[in-house]
Amino acid sequence: MSLQLSSAQTQLSATFQSQADRTTRYLVKCRAQAYAERPVDLDAIATGLSGAAPETLIAVGADLLRIEARTPKRWFGFGSETAALNARALMLLGRTLRRFGAPRKLVRPVQPSE
């Protein structure tokens, strides 16, 4: 037996999903900026990442994301969101450094949205 959702419930669900996507993108960007400001923090993810090439950052981030996808999920308390955000931020930082020739100071101040 399938559960029929009303159009209001469907719209509310879509709104929540849209907001969750925006929040995730914001958190990944902020984390990538923090890693760009303090590359030594990358060593907490894996030793030696603070001096790694952008291609290495992307590859390690992709591997961490694949591992995270295979990890069993818990449906109570805190899950594995932090590891996935770190992996995505690592990949974003690597792609950004590769695109702009790997300067270490790419960070602009985050402007609060009004």
Side-chain angles (χ1 to χ4, degrees):
M1 182 165 105
S2 66
L3 180 64
Q4 295 288 329
L5 295 178
S6 70
S7 91
Q9 289 172 325
T10 304
Q11 189 175 25
L12 182 63
S13 177
T15 301
F16 279 146
Q17 185 62 46
S18 174
Q19 182 59 49
D21 291 344
R22 283 192 302 271
T23 301
T24 301
R25 283 191 301 270
Y26 175 77
L27 290 173
V28 167
K29 286 179 186 179
C30 287
R31 183 77 47 96
Q33 286 179 341
Y35 287 149
E37 286 176 351
R38 287 187 43 92
V40 72
D41 290 346
L42 292 170
D43 289 335
I45 296 173
T47 306
L49 280 182
S50 60
E55 290 76 18
T56 305
L57 296 177
I58 295 167
V60 169
D63 285 342
L64 291 174
L65 202 55
R66 270 192 296 276
I67 291 168
E68 190 56 42
R70 292 182 190 155
T71 304
K73 305 294 183 250
R74 297 182 298 169
W75 296 105
F76 60 91
F78 292 103
S80 58
E81 297 86 11
T82 303
L85 288 174
N86 284 339
R88 290 188 183 277
L90 190 60
M91 292 169 61
L92 177 62
L93 177 62
R95 288 191 306 261
T96 304
L97 291 174
R98 182 178 61 190
R99 181 175 182 164
F100 292 108
R104 280 296 183 182
K105 286 294 180 184
L106 295 174
V107 180
R108 295 185 313 229
V110 177
Q111 301 295 326
S113 59
E114 296 178 17

